[in-house]
Amino acid sequence: MSGDGNQITVVIVGSQKFMVLVIFRYETCTLLGYDMEVGLLVPLVLFLLQPLQHIEVVIIHDYTLPGVNKLVESFSERWAATTLLTATPAPDLSQLLVALTSFHTNDLRYMVLLCSANTTWTVFDMVSRHNLESKRVRWLVVTENLHLADSLRNILREGSMVGLAARVTSNMYKIFSSYVNHNNQMSFQEVGAWRGQNEDRRKGSLLRPLFPEIVNLYRDFQGRQLVTSAVDYWPFFELKVLENGTTIAWRGTDVHVINTLSSYLNFTYRVEVPADQMWGTVKKDGTVTGMVGEVANRRAHLALDEITITDSRETVVDFTDPYFFDTTSIVSRAPAEKNRSLAVFYPFTSLLWIIVILVTLLMGPLGYLFSRVHHQLTQTFDSTHNERSRNVGPSFDSGRIKWGSEPGLRGVEMFCFNMFRTIIIQGNLLPASSWPLRLVFFSWYAFCVILYAVYAGTLTSYLTRPSFEKPIDSLEDLLEARERGVVGALTTGTSIAKIFETASSGIFKAIYDVMDPSRSFYPTFMTAVESASINIDNIPNV
């Protein structure tokens, strides 16, 4: 496809896995002020990337290079994905963000930068200002400015791996690789050269890899002093302040870890305590606090102090593989001893007491109903007796109460009273003259015997040893204890606090919703414990 004046070329490159549309404008121009053979760029870039396989390539240029067409076609034959970005009149930040953050595969992405010195500097300035450095991105810069490396030292930051091919003659390039020197500054070292007079005499050599593997790059820090962010947190990282005000790592599990790493990897370190003395979290406005924030904002090289790996933290910093697995516990005051003046009620729970009372109240009407129904049936089917003697009242003989021969005719209150007598071990005064009524009494007696045994045994246990309030052994217990005035507390800025704060449902949200803003959030764990111990009347448990 062509247009007036300049030519616009559309090239579709692809493979079985990818299909990429590359659009660029081809202009007759010179590279940075002088003519350059179209065929020279392709073998140079291929030489620098030839050991690599299964990579994604992004070409960034500013229309100053008449060789991009052939370069894209050559790359499409070797790598699955090739994308072209333009940088005229200035680099597009949105395109750069997509190129540096969206990955189609787990392979590395190589950014081939074919621009003027000013445009190259602008691109890396964007990368630094927006924290776009990534361990999955490699930069290959081709330039004619031999001094470009000097200017890039001031803008590059650790995390950007840059290979630079600088033209020194019409057909010779010196090749440099970035590294961090012992003063923690980005620098370049010469690693090889490449000559391209003609096809028969093109050759190059690399004394060391242009892009070293991360594991090899950081195998030896060459005596660098690293800044470590930490807070005073025994038994993991206890700090000590010297007389001159310097904070040093004193003792603890993670202190042994960093001392071992320091010796093995050849570096020294100094400790910096974050201003908020917290582990750190990512806030809604994008700011990062605590130790995590110190690393994310590049004020520290690393943080080491029992830091929990969370999804939000992983968006701003890189974590090592976990080396310590911890559990989370609820700390509360020891349960108080129960008041023994109410010990007679302790054997049964409130629910069980209610059930016993209801059953006792129901057994009287049930016995009366059985007796009354049996009496009516007997009158209906006993045709031989038309009349029955009825004695509706008690007679007194020798001080004993005697009821008539027909208990079914007694009132329901008499049955209720005798059921109550039975449960308090006073005996039953109603005769059981029928089998249905005997069955009711037998069931009630059996229930009472079992109730006596359970109650007596449990009461004896309560009276012979101290009884305590129900402890808080789970999150459900903590939520239930809120009814007793227990106030839950969290250490702000920690991963546990983040779980409660961001919960949208479930037990975590339920607990967070009933927390008291004035008493539930503390800067440190010990502050919360001390507050619970001192304010006993105000905070029953924390």
Side-chain angles (χ1 to χ4, degrees):
M1 179 175 64
S2 63
D4 295 337
N6 298 324
Q7 291 182 341
I8 299 177
T9 305
V10 179
V11 179
I12 299 179
V13 296
S15 67
Q16 294 180 351
K17 294 184 178 180
F18 295 96
M19 185 66 69
V20 182
L21 179 64
V22 182
I23 304 177
F24 60 90
R25 178 175 297 168
Y26 178 88
E27 297 180 353
T28 303
C29 58
T30 59
L31 174 63
L32 307 181
Y34 60 90
D35 292 332
M36 178 179 183
E37 295 180 2
V38 172
L40 190 62
L41 179 63
V42 175
L44 170 62
V45 176
L46 292 181
F47 165 74
L48 296 174
L49 299 182
Q50 65 180 349
L52 308 174
Q53 296 180 352
H54 306 294
I55 64 174
E56 296 181 12
V57 177
V58 177
I59 301 175
I60 304 176
H61 81 111
D62 57 1
Y63 295 131
T64 59
L65 183 58
V68 177
N69 192 357
K70 286 187 175 293
L71 189 64
V72 172
E73 292 176 354
S74 299
F75 279 15
S76 65
E77 298 174 359
R78 292 170 172 80
W79 295 290
T82 302
T83 307
L84 190 73
L85 300 180
T86 58
T88 300
D92 189 327
L93 177 59
S94 61
Q95 290 184 342
L96 194 61
L97 284 172
V98 172
L100 294 176
T101 58
S102 61
F103 291 85
H104 303 295
T105 68
N106 292 324
D107 298 325
L108 296 175
R109 176 165 294 175
Y110 284 81
M111 312 291 292
V112 181
L113 196 54
L114 310 172
C115 301
S116 65
N118 290 336
T119 303
T120 300
W121 194 93
T122 302
V123 170
F124 283 113
D125 181 58
M126 286 184 175
V127 172
S128 299
R129 285 189 290 107
H130 295 280
N131 293 321
L132 297 178
E133 294 89 350
S134 172
K135 62 183 180 181
R136 296 179 60 185
V137 174
R138 306 288 187 267
W139 293 87
L140 176 59
V141 180
V142 179
T143 179
E144 72 142 0
N145 189 342
L146 186 59
H147 302 290
L148 179 61
D150 295 329
S151 62
L152 290 181
R153 290 192 184 103
N154 300 322
I155 192 64
L156 290 177
R157 300 189 304 187
E158 187 168 5
S160 291
M161 298 187 64
V162 181
L164 188 144
R167 191 169 187 172
V168 293
T169 66
S170 60
N171 57 11
M172 178 180 177
Y173 285 82
K174 284 188 176 181
I175 303 171
F176 301 87
S177 178
S178 64
Y179 73 102
V180 183
N181 61 28
H182 66 280
N183 293 322
N184 291 323
Q185 296 176 341
M186 291 293 293
S187 187
F188 286 89
Q189 59 183 346
E190 186 175 347
V191 296
W194 184 85
R195 290 178 175 82
Q197 294 179 351
N198 53 59
E199 293 186 7
D200 297 333
R201 301 180 61 182
R202 288 172 184 164
K203 62 179 181 178
S205 61
L206 292 175
L207 301 178
R208 55 179 62 91
L210 182 61
F211 302 108
E213 295 291 336
I214 295 292
V215 65
N216 296 326
L217 188 63
Y218 290 104
R219 192 181 300 275
D220 184 356
F221 282 80
Q222 300 179 352
R224 291 173 54 189
Q225 185 184 63
L226 305 182
V227 178
T228 300
S229 182
V231 297
D232 192 10
Y233 185 55
W234 172 259
F236 295 95
F237 212 106
E238 185 177 5
L239 303 177
K240 181 179 182 180
V241 180
L242 303 179
E243 295 181 356
N244 60 3
T246 304
T247 301
I248 63 172
W250 181 239
R251 57 185 177 179
T253 304
D254 284 340
V255 173
H256 289 296
V257 171
I258 194 171
N259 287 338
T260 302
L261 292 174
S262 173
S263 175
Y264 184 76
L265 299 178
N266 186 23
F267 68 85
T268 61
Y269 68 92
R270 60 183 175 88
V271 178
E272 293 290 343
V273 181
D276 57 5
Q277 300 186 21
M278 299 302 298
W279 281 259
T281 186
V282 182
K283 294 185 176 181
K284 294 182 180 180
D285 59 1
T287 58
V288 191
T289 62
M291 293 184 289
V292 176
E294 294 297 297
V295 177
N297 295 316
R298 295 181 175 271
R299 292 188 291 267
H301 293 95
L302 72 153
L304 184 70
D305 201 342
E306 203 221 1
I307 301 177
T308 303
I309 302 174
T310 64
D311 293 339
S312 60
R313 289 172 178 174
E314 281 192 306
T315 62
V316 293
V317 296
D318 285 331
F319 285 94
T320 65
D321 292 335
Y323 61 92
F324 179 79
F325 295 90
D326 198 5
T327 57
T328 301
S329 301
I330 301 173
V331 178
S332 62
R333 291 195 311 168
E337 184 177 353
K338 291 184 177 180
N339 188 350
R340 293 197 179 191
S341 61
L342 301 176
V344 291
F345 299 104
Y346 291 163
F348 297 155
T349 62
S350 300
L351 178 61
L352 186 55
W353 277 117
I354 293 175
I355 293 175
V356 171
I357 294 173
L358 291 177
V359 170
T360 303
L361 294 176
L362 289 175
M363 287 303 298
L366 182 66
Y368 172 79
L369 180 63
F370 271 72
S371 179
R372 190 68 181 177
V373 170
H374 179 265
H375 178 71
Q376 293 295 334
L377 293 176
T378 300
Q379 281 187 333
T380 302
F381 293 101
D382 191 0
S383 58
T384 59
H385 296 83
N386 295 323
E387 291 185 1
R388 292 177 176 274
S389 61
R390 294 180 175 85
N391 188 353
V392 296
S395 61
F396 297 87
D397 183 14
S398 302
R400 292 177 56 84
I401 300 178
K402 294 185 178 180
W403 301 94
S405 62
E406 296 297 336
L409 300 180
R410 301 296 178 264
V412 66
E413 67 278 2
M414 294 301 177
F415 281 90
C416 292
F417 175 72
N418 276 273
M419 295 300 179
F420 176 72
R421 284 177 54 88
T422 303
I423 201 170
I424 60 174
I425 322 179
Q426 294 297 316
N428 175 33
L429 299 179
L430 288 176
S433 58
S434 62
W435 278 106
L437 191 59
R438 291 170 185 172
L439 180 62
V440 172
F441 284 149
F442 176 78
S443 301
W444 181 240
Y445 295 158
F447 172 79
C448 291
V449 169
I450 296 174
L451 192 68
Y452 300 154
V454 174
Y455 178 82
T458 308
L459 181 60
T460 302
S461 174
Y462 273 106
L463 294 177
T464 54
R465 66 176 184 177
S467 177
F468 297 91
E469 298 175 346
K470 182 180 179 180
I472 300 176
D473 294 329
S474 66
L475 293 176
E476 288 73 15
D477 293 340
L478 179 60
L479 185 61
E480 180 182 341
R482 186 72 175 90
E483 300 176 358
R484 306 197 305 266
V486 174
V487 178
L490 291 171
T491 304
T492 57
T494 61
S495 59
I496 298 300
K498 191 69 173 180
I499 293 175
F500 283 90
E501 292 171 2
T502 58
S504 58
S505 61
I507 186 66
F508 293 103
K509 178 173 174 55
I511 293 176
Y512 188 77
D513 288 342
V514 299
M515 285 186 172
D516 187 346
S518 63
R519 295 187 294 171
S520 295
F521 305 97
Y522 295 87
T524 64
F525 171 76
M526 291 308 302
T527 305
V529 174
E530 292 170 0
S531 177
S533 301
I534 295 173
N535 301 324
I536 296 178
D537 296 333
N538 297 328
I539 306 180
N541 278 309
V542 176

